[in-house]
Amino acid sequence: MSRSPDPRPFDAHALERIDSPEATAAAYFSIFRSPRATARDYEDFESWHARDEAHRIAWARVERAWDGSGAMRTEARILEIRERALANRHRRKAWVRPAIAASMALAVLGGALAFQQYKSVSPVAPAVADSRELSTGVGQQGTLRMADGSVITANTATVLTVAESDTRRSTALRDGEAFFEVAKNPRKPFVVTAGRITVTALGTQFAVRETDGRVDVTLAEGRVRVDMPAVDGRPAQSATLLPGQELVWNGRGYRTGAVEVERRLAWRKGVVDFDRVPLAEAVAEINRYSPQEIIVSSPSLARHPISGTFRIGVTRGFLQSLEAAGIARVENESATRAELVAP
């Protein structure tokens, strides 16, 4: 007697054609809660989950909805699967074994440990979830959306790493500048490390810039605490910023003051905005966004104040504006260099 074909209405390739990531996540979760899930299903899921941040966000929402319903905590079969998955967390290929029990251990947990690692592996050391890196080249910007709705926008030539545990959301800024729009969660502070300082927020909007050991923190909304290390025999220091304030740490001490947030963060709109700043300072900012380096030929010209709004990455437009205003003349220009001299 011939065996009837498997009637299950699950096709991973058909899922790829579903427009909504939420619909795809729900379909995967459904098949994972059944005994019909196969090793190929897990392989397809891992590929889908890793491919796009929107997929990871959709999957996290499905997990939270299920966990929040109480079923994860009250259904004996799921509790058993959770324990078995915790025990096998570090054996990443365990799900390819043919045994139904092993595949189900990862299935009903829905990838929370094996794929996204959002759950704790011990009461002492919470597991890091979805650690990843965001980097941008000169003149580029990039955006990363976290599963909790927080958004990180990286400015030119920036490298940062994002991670999450059960008790903390963390970003390590190794170079460059980023703007953080933090979803409020009192149980999971959002912590940014840059240089030797840390910035802690619960729900706010702020920017951090790290350049050659100097760190600038600009607060747009909410409140943040900045912790600075002990140095030169002085104890560690902390400062709390309010909206419209900026803290500058130079490696030995810090200062705070009022700042025009819109002008300071104009790069988020694709421009830089100067208000009577020395030409040398303006040139240094323009140089951040272009492989063409501008050189100011003399100290007196470097001190000349300029004002204006300029599109980032369009160095030629900046140079033309200086010439048109009679501030400077461009000499020895090439693809990698331009010299400013007195007109």
Side-chain angles (χ1 to χ4, degrees), residues 2 40 178 246 253 288 313 329-330:
S2 63
R40 178 58 184 273
E246 182 174 58
R288 295 179 63 209
R329 184 163 45 86
V330 180

Side-chain angles (χ1 to χ4, degrees), residues 72 75-89 104-106 109 113 120-121:
M72 188 76 84
E75 188 172 327
R77 184 171 66 92
I78 296 178
L79 290 174
E80 178 186 357
I81 287 167
R82 179 193 287 269
E83 293 302 318
R84 297 176 68 170
L86 286 171
N88 291 322
R89 177 179 175 271
M104 284 298 294
L106 292 178
L109 188 57
L113 295 161
S120 174
V121 295

Side-chain angles (χ1 to χ4, degrees), residues 241-309:
L241 296 184
L242 298 177
Q245 289 187 317
E246 182 174 58
L247 180 145
V248 178
W249 163 262
N250 63 10
R252 301 184 62 185
Y254 76 96
R255 61 177 173 81
T256 60
V259 64
E260 293 183 72
V261 174
E262 287 297 319
R263 177 171 283 118
R264 176 66 182 80
L265 302 181
W267 60 266
R268 298 176 59 227
K269 299 179 181 178
V271 298
V272 289
D273 191 357
F274 305 127
D275 182 20
R276 296 191 60 78
V277 304
L279 179 59
E281 183 179 326
V283 163
E285 187 68 14
I286 292 293
N287 282 344
R288 295 179 63 209
Y289 299 93
S290 173
Q292 184 185 37
E293 182 183 15
I294 304 173
I295 306 296
V296 183
S297 63
S298 69
S300 60
L301 182 58
R303 292 191 296 270
H304 193 291
I306 72 165
S307 300
T309 301

Side-chain angles (χ1 to χ4, degrees), residues 1-235:
M1 180 184 228
S2 63
R3 184 179 178 180
S4 61
D6 183 358
R8 68 185 181 97
F10 183 76
D11 183 347
H13 298 290
L15 284 177
E16 298 299 319
R17 295 191 293 271
I18 295 178
D19 291 336
S20 168
E22 287 76 14
T24 306
Y28 270 121
F29 193 79
S30 177
I31 189 64
F32 286 165
R33 292 194 63 236
S34 79
R36 299 191 303 255
T38 67
R40 178 58 184 273
D41 294 333
Y42 297 114
E43 185 177 320
D44 290 337
F45 168 83
E46 188 168 19
S47 174
W48 172 84
H49 182 268
R51 191 178 309 128
D52 194 292
E53 178 67 12
H55 298 174
R56 292 186 286 275
I57 292 173
W59 182 254
R61 287 173 178 162
V62 170
E63 279 191 316
R64 285 198 298 271
W66 173 252
D67 201 14
S69 71
M72 188 76 84
R73 295 184 293 275
T74 60
E75 188 172 327
R77 184 171 66 92
I78 296 178
L79 290 174
E80 178 186 357
I81 287 167
R82 179 193 287 269
E83 293 302 318
R84 297 176 68 170
L86 286 171
N88 291 322
R89 177 179 175 271
H90 295 293
R91 295 155 64 182
R92 290 184 54 83
K93 296 301 182 181
W95 50 265
V96 301
R97 294 179 298 174
I100 293 294
S103 63
M104 284 298 294
L106 292 178
V108 178
L109 188 57
L113 295 161
F115 299 115
Q116 289 179 283
Q117 303 177 13
Y118 277 118
K119 304 299 180 184
S120 174
V121 295
S122 77
V124 177
V128 172
D130 205 11
S131 177
R132 54 198 184 277
E133 182 177 280
L134 173 63
S135 62
T136 58
V138 174
Q140 296 179 336
Q141 294 182 4
T143 299
L144 186 151
R145 296 181 180 274
M146 299 179 66
D148 69 350
S150 298
V151 179
I152 302 173
T153 304
N155 199 8
T156 178
T158 295
V159 179
L160 58 84
T161 302
V162 180
E164 185 175 1
S165 74
D166 285 342
T167 58
R168 171 168 157 153
R169 297 164 289 174
S170 304
T171 298
L173 179 66
R174 299 202 294 273
D175 196 17
E177 180 176 24
F179 183 75
F180 302 90
E181 299 172 83
V182 180
K184 190 171 184 178
N185 186 344
R187 294 179 300 173
K188 296 177 69 171
F190 194 104
V191 180
V192 178
T193 60
R196 299 174 61 196
I197 77 170
T198 62
V199 183
T200 303
L202 292 178
T204 186
Q205 296 185 12
F206 63 100
V208 180
R209 175 172 170 176
E210 196 279 329
T211 307
D212 298 328
R214 167 176 161 157
V215 179
D216 299 66
V217 181
T218 304
L219 183 60
E221 291 183 11
R223 181 176 296 187
V224 298
R225 186 185 75 244
V226 183
D227 296 309
M228 294 151 283
V231 63
D232 294 340
R234 294 191 296 270

